Amino acid sequence: MAYILKTEWKTQLNLMWFGQTLLIAMLAMSLPYWPLYISQLGDFTPQQIRFWSAAIYIAPFISATFSSPVWGKLGDKYGYKPMVIRACLGLFITQTLILLFSNVFLIFIFRLLQGVLAGFIVAAQSWALAVSPDSERGATIGKLQSATAVGNLIGPLLGGIIATYGGYHAIFSSSSVICAAVTILFLFFLQNTVNTNTAQSDTESSSITNNFSNLQRQVLSILFVIIIIQLARAMITPVFSLFVTEQLGGTDMMVGILYAATGLMIFLTAPSWGRFFDHFIQHNQPIHLIVTLLLFICAGLQVLHAYAYTATAIFILRLLWGICLGALLPVMLRLLVDNANQYKHGFYLGIGNSATKFGNLLGIITGALIEANFGYANSFLATALLYVIAGIVFLLNTYPLKKLTHE
């Protein structure tokens, strides 16, 4: 297998991009169909179907919020490829268990377990940063962010096709097979990372609590902005289909097109944004003003969402919003890693991804509550306010950006 270890890093990164796209797509296949699937598992009332659908949907977000830093720290200590393989196996095992059992409570437990065992995105990002040059960090994170976006785009479409011709069980059987195939692919063809930091990492940090004590104010502000970015993005998700059908008079097809527009632009623009920020950072040029401006633009786009009454206007706004989002999360993770000790990248990416999961969870809950009590327009306005707060916090706390690398 020696030739594998000598493979050019960009080829290896493309392999990871391909595998991550497949895994995210497999997980996303079932997301729109949980209510329909649960309705077939027993004699449930509409209220029970809504409850279990929401619980099963958010379960991995809850457990992954706490497990991601742990897996990231273990990756720092034992190597990132083993963490990638472990995450793939975790997805394979949990998808297979969901396939084999039809009890809704057990499925909820398996989804919780999926969040605990998986942690694939953290492992993939840590591995990718270890095999790529430091000057390409932004582009690397952006590329993997695009894999997540395209996986979330094609997953529900594949799920609909498979469910139409094979039933809902076929979604889980096919995802289980693909997860196994990706595990084997990575096992034999993914390059190992050189781990020379075990002794130093053992002496530098003995617990997650100690790691948190080393975070400076600007790092905490980055985590806060990550939470806000994901919270704002997720707030409209629970009611977006209702917004399109009730407010715009749209069809199911229109819901899919408008929902996919943002993800499409993230996929198209995230790698380019990463290269753009890499260039700025390499030349010691401040990027805090650009990031703050993007956050304020997102706020303005949300205000326009609140007063847009045609599908065309919403489509354009969601495309522009996707362009901004394609920049924000990758650059936040890049800054988080840049402010981390070089032997703790996995841990810092872990807490960064915990922040994304926590933001998603808060967004889903908050969005549903705001819409139910205040309507669609106020949901968008509340989202705009969050972006303004995030922009102010980032501007005040991350300039100048200080390094923790040699502390």
Side-chain angles (χ1 to χ4, degrees):
M1 305 296 290
Y3 76 95
I4 295 176
L5 300 181
K6 296 179 182 178
T7 302
E8 202 260 346
W9 73 270
K10 287 187 177 180
T11 302
Q12 282 282 301
L13 185 60
N14 288 333
L15 175 65
M16 176 59 76
W17 186 92
F18 175 73
Q20 180 170 325
T21 299
L22 285 179
L23 290 177
I24 296 298
M26 293 305 101
L27 294 177
M29 283 199 305
S30 59
L31 294 184
Y33 307 105
W34 281 117
L36 301 175
Y37 179 57
I38 291 170
S39 67
Q40 296 184 356
L41 300 181
D43 186 19
F44 297 110
T45 65
Q47 291 76 15
Q48 289 173 322
I49 291 174
R50 291 191 186 94
F51 170 79
W52 283 114
S53 298
I56 288 171
Y57 180 81
I58 67 175
F61 294 110
I62 297 173
S63 51
T65 298
F66 300 100
S67 64
S68 290
V70 177
W71 293 127
K73 187 180 179 184
L74 289 175
D76 291 333
K77 186 173 183 179
Y78 298 110
Y80 301 124
K81 180 178 176 179
M83 291 298 105
V84 171
I85 302 302
R86 175 207 51 75
C88 292
L89 284 174
L91 293 174
F92 165 70
I93 291 169
T94 51
Q95 288 296 97
T96 303
L97 289 173
I98 292 171
L99 170 67
L100 296 177
F101 292 85
S102 57
N103 181 282
V104 68
F105 178 75
L106 286 178
I107 291 175
F108 170 73
I109 297 299
F110 297 149
R111 290 277 288 174
L112 280 174
L113 184 63
Q114 191 169 80
V116 171
L117 294 180
F120 176 81
I121 291 179
V122 176
Q125 289 173 343
S126 301
W127 173 89
L129 291 178
V131 301
S132 61
D134 289 348
S135 61
E136 299 278 349
R137 283 178 179 174
T140 299
I141 295 175
K143 187 176 181 71
L144 294 187
Q145 183 72 11
S146 75
T148 300
V150 73
N152 282 320
L153 276 174
I154 66 176
L157 176 61
L158 289 174
I161 295 172
I162 292 172
T164 299
Y165 294 100
Y168 298 119
H169 274 90
I171 292 178
F172 301 108
S173 60
S174 58
S175 64
S176 179
V177 170
I178 295 298
C179 287
V182 172
T183 302
I184 295 171
L185 178 69
F186 284 160
L187 181 63
F188 288 103
F189 294 100
L190 200 65
Q191 176 179 315
N192 278 300
T193 57
V194 178
N195 185 19
T196 60
N197 60 299
T198 302
Q200 186 164 357
S201 63
D202 285 341
T203 58
E204 285 189 349
S205 57
S206 58
S207 68
I208 292 177
T209 303
N210 289 336
N211 277 285
F212 268 109
S213 68
N214 292 329
L215 293 176
Q216 292 186 354
R217 186 178 66 175
Q218 71 273 19
V219 178
L220 291 174
S221 73
I222 291 171
L223 293 176
F224 174 78
V225 173
I226 289 174
I227 292 173
I228 294 299
I229 290 170
Q230 294 304 109
L231 192 161
R233 185 179 176 187
M235 275 183 63
I236 195 62
T237 300
V239 295
F240 184 73
S241 59
L242 296 177
F243 166 73
V244 174
T245 54
E246 295 178 3
Q247 191 84 2
L248 306 179
T251 62
D252 290 341
M253 178 67 73
M254 186 181 294
V255 171
I257 292 173
L258 294 178
Y259 188 84
T262 301
L264 176 64
M265 296 312 296
I266 294 174
F267 161 61
L268 292 175
T269 63
S272 298
W273 275 116
R275 289 189 291 271
F276 172 80
F277 285 118
D278 283 338
H279 175 79
F280 264 67
I281 292 172
Q282 278 182 268
H283 291 82
N284 295 318
Q285 296 176 336
I287 63 171
H288 64 290
L289 292 177
I290 299 174
V291 174
T292 303
L293 178 61
L294 286 170
L295 289 167
F296 288 161
I297 290 174
C298 284
L301 292 173
Q302 295 304 307
V303 172
L304 293 176
H305 270 81
Y307 299 104
Y309 296 101
T310 67
T312 302
I314 294 294
F315 179 73
I316 294 172
L317 291 172
R318 286 185 67 84
L319 287 176
L320 295 174
W321 187 35
I323 293 173
C324 295
L325 292 179
L328 287 172
L329 186 56
V331 77
M332 289 295 111
L333 294 176
R334 164 73 197 256
L335 293 176
L336 197 60
V337 170
D338 284 349
N339 279 270
N341 184 291
Q342 61 180 322
Y343 303 122
K344 300 175 185 175
H345 285 173
F347 172 75
Y348 277 75
L349 286 170
I351 61 174
N353 279 275
S354 289
T356 67
K357 298 291 191 296
F358 184 61
N360 281 330
L361 182 61
L362 281 181
I364 292 169
I365 297 172
T366 306
L369 291 175
I370 291 178
E371 187 280 326
N373 292 282
F374 302 104
Y376 299 120
N378 287 315
S379 296
F380 289 118
L381 294 176
T383 304
L385 179 61
L386 287 173
Y387 278 122
V388 171
I389 294 172
I392 294 172
V393 169
F394 184 82
L395 187 63
L396 294 179
N397 290 282
T398 58
Y399 180 71
L401 287 167
K402 300 176 182 177
K403 296 277 187 174
L404 294 176
T405 305
H406 299 294
E407 290 192 355

